[in-house]
Amino acid sequence: AQSVTQLDSQVPVFEEAPVELRCNYSSSVSVYLFWYVQYPNQGLQLLLKYLSGSTLVKGINGFEAEFNKSQTSFHLRKPSVHISDTAEYFCAVSDYTGGFKTIFGAGTRLFVKA
Amino acid sequence: EADIYQTPRYLVIGTGKKITLECSQTMGHDKMYWYQQDPGMELHLIHYSYGVNSTEKGDLSSESTVSRIRTEHFPLTLESARPSHTSQYLCASRPSGISYEQYFGPGTRLTVT
């Protein structure tokens, strides 16, 4: 069965510092991986996705993530964060079992300080 | 740009009332979903639909029901609201094919007193 673990519930970081939000998944088959962002009082929106091909995926707002099959990880990174990046970030996994339903992690709250 | 709408955005209602949360999308997506979201928790899938007249229960047991009479509309109904239903409800849709990402509405925050 699929599962997603986001290893940090909260990540405080100073503005212009780099950040990494960690995500590990469990699946016995090939997977599709996603990172979503949720700003206060809004729904989730897609940051980036991995379907196949290059393991380094670039997304919106300067974020990127690296798919590591051997470590079953899909960590999200940004080299320099802004105050406006303060939000909740969700890692998600989907595969062809279960009708391509998506399993979401519990979220990581990124708090960028001035 | 994704166009998926949810109404109301906020709702405070008394125990025992019947409520319907509305969700509409203008993208022609076949697949639609309802999630329940509580702080610090995973999004839990409560209902989904793969097309008109198709509805399925999700992984989280829910006392709600859904219908899918039109492609664009996927309302969720609670026949008798209880305080345990207090939560944020998110509606999402996605296209068929290989892309698989979901487009989310802004959510309905429900409080049952």
Side-chain angles (χ1 to χ4, degrees):
Chain A
Q2 303 163 316
S3 67
V4 177
T5 303
Q6 292 186 240
L7 297 160
D8 307 291
S9 59
Q10 295 184 71
V11 174
V13 63
F14 284 103
E15 193 174 21
E16 298 183 7
V19 71
E20 179 180 80
L21 306 184
R22 298 179 294 166
C23 173
N24 286 98
Y25 68 91
S26 171
S27 175
S28 58
V29 298
S30 296
V31 296
Y32 305 103
L33 296 157
F34 307 85
W35 275 98
Y36 290 85
V37 60
Q38 184 179 33
Y39 299 104
N41 299 316
Q42 295 185 27
L44 281 67
Q45 63 184 81
L46 184 72
L47 266 181
L48 49 80
K49 61 184 177 184
Y50 171 80
L51 301 180
S52 64
S54 173
T55 57
L56 183 64
V57 180
K58 293 189 182 299
I60 62 171
N61 301 339
F63 284 93
E64 63 181 32
E66 185 155 20
F67 170 56
N68 188 317
K69 188 175 181 179
S70 62
Q71 297 186 9
T72 61
S73 67
F74 191 54
H75 301 334
L76 180 71
R77 301 185 184 99
K78 185 169 182 179
S80 176
V81 295
H82 303 289
I83 297 286
S84 59
D85 292 323
T86 294
E88 190 91 19
Y89 292 79
F90 291 91
C91 182
V93 63
S94 175
D95 65 30
Y96 64 81
T97 64
F100 288 107
K101 286 183 286 184
T102 303
I103 305 299
F104 290 84
T108 296
R109 172 99 174 124
L110 175 63
F111 179 60
V112 180
K113 301 178 284 187
Chain B
E1 183 167 325
D3 292 319
I4 180 163
Y5 307 98
Q6 290 186 245
T7 57
R9 292 293 314 278
Y10 304 91
L11 180 62
V12 180
I13 200 162
T15 298
K17 299 291 186 182
K18 178 180 178 179
I19 57 172
T20 296
L21 308 185
E22 301 287 350
C23 175
S24 294
Q25 49 97 3
T26 60
M27 298 170 283
H29 292 168
D30 288 330
K31 297 170 177 55
M32 296 190 74
Y33 307 82
W34 276 103
Y35 292 91
Q36 188 170 333
Q37 182 183 27
D38 295 302
M41 303 287 288
E42 299 88 348
L43 272 68
H44 289 292
L45 180 66
I46 50 176
H47 295 282
Y48 60 100
S49 167
Y50 284 167
V52 171
N53 295 324
S54 151
T55 61
E56 302 285 345
K57 286 188 179 293
D59 303 320
L60 181 68
S61 174
S62 173
E63 294 158 345
S64 57
T65 59
V66 292
S67 63
R68 189 88 184 275
I69 299 172
R70 304 196 314 268
T71 297
E72 63 271 21
H73 194 214
F74 191 43
L76 180 145
T77 297
L78 278 167
E79 291 293 333
S80 179
R82 296 211 301 263
S84 60
H85 296 138
T86 294
S87 188
Q88 164 114 310
Y89 293 84
L90 293 173
C91 180
S93 70
R94 73 168 179 84
S96 297
I98 199 148
S99 63
Y100 302 122
E101 74 260 34
Q102 298 185 18
Y103 296 83
F104 283 82
T108 293
R109 184 164 296 281
L110 173 66
T111 301
V112 183
T113 60

